[in-house]
Amino acid sequence: MRLAKKGMALLFVLLLSIGTSLSALAAESVILTLEVQIGSTSALVNGEKTKIEKPYTQNGAVMVPLGVFQRAFGTKSRLEGEDVVRLSYGSKAATFTIGSKTAWVNGSKSALAAAPVMKNGTLMVPLRPVTDMLGAAVKVASGKIVVTLKSDNGIPGQKPVKGDEEGISGRVGSSYAGWSIDYPENAVAELGDNEFSAMLGDPDGTYMLQIHVWEEDASVSVPLSDVLEQLEQEALESGETVVDREAFPNAVLPYARLITRDLDGLYWEARRYYDQGRVYTLYFGDSLVKDYRELEERAELLDSFRPSFATKGVKTEDLSTIKDGQVSAASSDYGVTLKLPAEWIPTDTGRFEYAAEDGSSLSLQVTSAAAGQTLEDWHTLLQSRMDELFVAGKAKPIVSEPLKAAGVDGRLEKLTYQLGTEEYHWNWLVLQQEGYFYILRYSAPAEAYKEQTFRRIIGSLDIDFDTVASSFGKLGQISYLKDKSLNVTKSTTDFQISVPAYWTSIPGSGVQPELRYSLPGGSLSLTLIGEGVEAAAAKAARGYADLKLDDPTMSVEPPQRTLFAGVPAVRLAYTGTDGSPYQAEDIYFRHGNSTYWMHTRLDQAMATPQQLDGIKRALQSFRFLK
């Protein structure tokens, strides 16, 4: 968790630069005002003079810094993906994409005269769509723009209402992750990269507090001495200098505390709490602190942390985006939004893919439809490709049914297959519009499979079909649906290999040369190792002998000396059961001063002639380059 600190700090600075986050408000009815001048860095925000990035006009649109709306009206902003910003005000919302002239304002698609753009580190957006979203009045005269809005939430950043503790505007927390903390005046708060991390700080970036939550075994009691050692080890691994350490067993909620100085010279206080199977870690940093003892001035804020959301008699702002156990997800590239179970999280592929710990997963892909191709044709192609992937009897015929989603007619395709003794399910929702197929795929092992969960996701699906039609040309086929005879060639400075195009390349560790491919039910990899060929093969054979102790079904053929890519090699073939029966092969060979290990593996339920032929073609294609 510690390693995420600096990355989250940079994200927090970016969020503040566009005026994002939840800011503390006082509750009273007022008229809020924003006054800006074209070409002027001076603005009036609720009567107070402030400096902003110069507004300007482009294609007839007045461009203003997005952050000024947060300061003037208390809007909230949130990054969704790399270039999509969602601005909200209560139940009202506007979504902008940097560089795009399409926006969504209160649920309706809107064409912009000018696209949002980053200028001098500030996000500039057209004024009118935001004021339309807010329902604010706008007056323009001689280059001066005055925006007014009636609010029942008081003036953003103003002192709290009478009776509240001085300097605190209620509390902020997460109802889903289960925590809360006092909310300092003028502070801004924002979720991190998921529901179990958050950031809180001041608009000037003087201080920042990070909060991380994760699950652990509730039945195991962890002593504070152990917790303190955890914090210290994490700090040392990050290159930080430990300044002070202490445990507080008699606190309202016992915790361990560590104070460090990072590589930039900034002081950080880390606190870690264990409560009912959850671990809460707080990291607090202040750029003005010159002596670590000065962090004691912030102790009151940190002491107010509680591993619960609601505090009786105190209003708590909720950072959580999860409602009814679901969280919103969106693909701005494809104009798709939907709701997912809260426990599903994005994978690290960079694509629209989500996964859960129980093995469930969901992915979205869009492909081009050939002229005249129908949903029935897609079903036929899917069945044909699955027949090429599964050995006869391992997969049942695909069941198809008509299903309406996102306002159009589509089809639900359901496949059940067997790997070893385990049963698995693949479901596809397929829609066709504007010359494209939209494919939402849900997969899960039998014990986690819930068709109603997928149908609930489908019910939440909303698609702006114009987005793909107006932004894309021809799109390729899904990898596992590609023709099994198609190849793709990979070349490095040392070698060349040609693999089936339906295989998926997996990013390596950065150590070169290295190749990793996944294929349905299997994999192929090439790794550089430090031993000689004979030593590496002998070591592998001993390892397989040890594995047989845990897997008595394992069978290993005697090492075979052969040629591979024109050089001497040792080949080991073996079978075993690891969840389901599989067959594998290792080839060790040497070229120049390097020893290579080529490894292939394939589940026997998917060892079809087409799959075996693909592995054979790949191995035969491997050759060294001069």
Side-chain angles (χ1 to χ4, degrees), residues 26-46:
E28 58 178 291
S29 182
V30 292
I31 298 297
L32 304 177
T33 61
L34 169 65
E35 184 176 317
V36 297
Q37 180 93 27
I38 301 297
S40 174
T41 60
S42 180
L44 284 177
V45 175
N46 296 316

Side-chain angles (χ1 to χ4, degrees), residues 352-400:
F352 191 97
E353 293 180 354
Y354 287 78
E357 290 186 358
D358 63 6
S360 303
S361 66
L362 185 88
S363 63
L364 169 71
Q365 289 179 279
V366 180
T367 69
S368 289
Q373 193 175 17
T374 65
L375 289 174
E376 180 61 34
D377 294 329
W378 198 91
H379 166 80
T380 302
L381 174 65
L382 178 65
Q383 183 65 72
S384 172
R385 295 294 186 247
M386 294 303 105
D387 290 341
E388 295 172 347
L389 293 181
F390 292 97
V391 172
K394 294 298 182 180
K396 298 177 182 178
I398 295 173
V399 176
S400 180

Side-chain angles (χ1 to χ4, degrees), residues 184-331:
E185 286 183 35
N186 300 319
V188 287
E190 176 66 39
L191 285 178
D193 54 3
N194 57 52
E195 285 281 338
F196 292 96
S197 63
M199 296 165 286
L200 183 149
D202 64 343
D204 297 328
T206 301
Y207 72 87
M208 183 182 71
L209 171 66
Q210 293 179 20
I211 299 170
H212 300 272
V213 186
W214 66 90
E215 306 281 349
E216 288 200 3
D217 188 349
S219 65
V220 178
S221 177
V222 182
L224 282 182
S225 58
D226 190 339
V227 178
L228 193 56
E229 290 299 324
Q230 291 175 8
L231 288 174
E232 182 167 358
Q233 187 63 40
E234 291 166 10
L236 294 175
E237 289 173 355
S238 298
E240 301 185 12
T241 301
V242 175
V243 177
D244 190 33
R245 62 197 301 276
E246 189 172 0
F248 295 85
N250 298 320
V252 175
L253 180 64
Y255 66 95
R257 184 193 71 183
L258 191 79
I259 297 179
T260 62
R261 187 175 62 248
D262 68 15
L263 297 176
D264 297 320
L266 297 178
Y267 285 101
W268 291 84
E269 176 175 338
R271 293 189 180 190
R272 181 162 294 168
Y273 308 80
Y274 277 70
D275 185 69
Q276 299 181 24
R278 277 187 172 173
V279 184
Y280 301 84
T281 302
L282 279 59
Y283 297 117
F284 179 84
D286 192 323
S287 62
L288 300 182
V289 167
K290 303 302 181 185
D291 185 300
Y292 79 92
R293 298 171 187 83
E294 296 175 22
L295 288 171
E296 288 294 331
E297 298 176 10
R298 296 289 189 178
E300 187 174 358
L301 172 62
L302 299 183
D303 288 344
S304 72
F305 176 82
R306 295 290 181 271
S308 58
F309 176 69
T311 301
K312 188 175 181 179
V314 179
K315 179 183 178 182
T316 303
E317 299 285 354
D318 195 357
L319 294 177
S320 177
T321 61
I322 294 174
K323 307 299 179 188
D324 298 324
Q326 291 187 302
V327 63
S328 296
S331 170

Side-chain angles (χ1 to χ4, degrees), residues 53 75 153 191 223 252 347 358 378 400 425 440 512 545 547 610:
E53 183 68 27
T75 57
N153 293 321
L191 285 178
V252 175
T347 64
D358 63 6
W378 198 91
S400 180
H425 298 267
L440 195 64
Q512 295 296 330
L547 288 176
Q610 294 88 345

Side-chain angles (χ1 to χ4, degrees), residues 583-595:
Q583 57 192 65
E585 182 179 75
D586 292 332
I587 303 174
Y588 297 93
F589 53 98
R590 190 170 181 84
H591 184 258
N593 296 320
S594 301
T595 302

Side-chain angles (χ1 to χ4, degrees), residues 470-538:
S470 62
S471 304
F472 292 90
K474 290 188 178 297
L475 299 177
Q477 185 58 273
I478 299 174
S479 59
Y480 54 83
L481 295 183
K482 289 182 178 179
D483 187 328
K484 299 296 184 292
S485 66
L486 294 177
N487 291 334
V488 59
T489 299
K490 168 76 173 181
S491 296
T492 72
T493 56
D494 301 304
F495 57 80
Q496 184 180 86
I497 187 171
S498 182
V499 304
Y502 76 94
W503 291 10
T504 302
S505 177
I506 303 174
S509 62
V511 178
Q512 295 296 330
E514 181 183 54
L515 289 178
R516 291 198 301 164
Y517 289 94
S518 68
L519 56 147
S523 63
L524 178 145
S525 62
L526 177 69
T527 308
L528 194 66
I529 58 177
E531 299 127 321
V533 171
E534 297 291 341

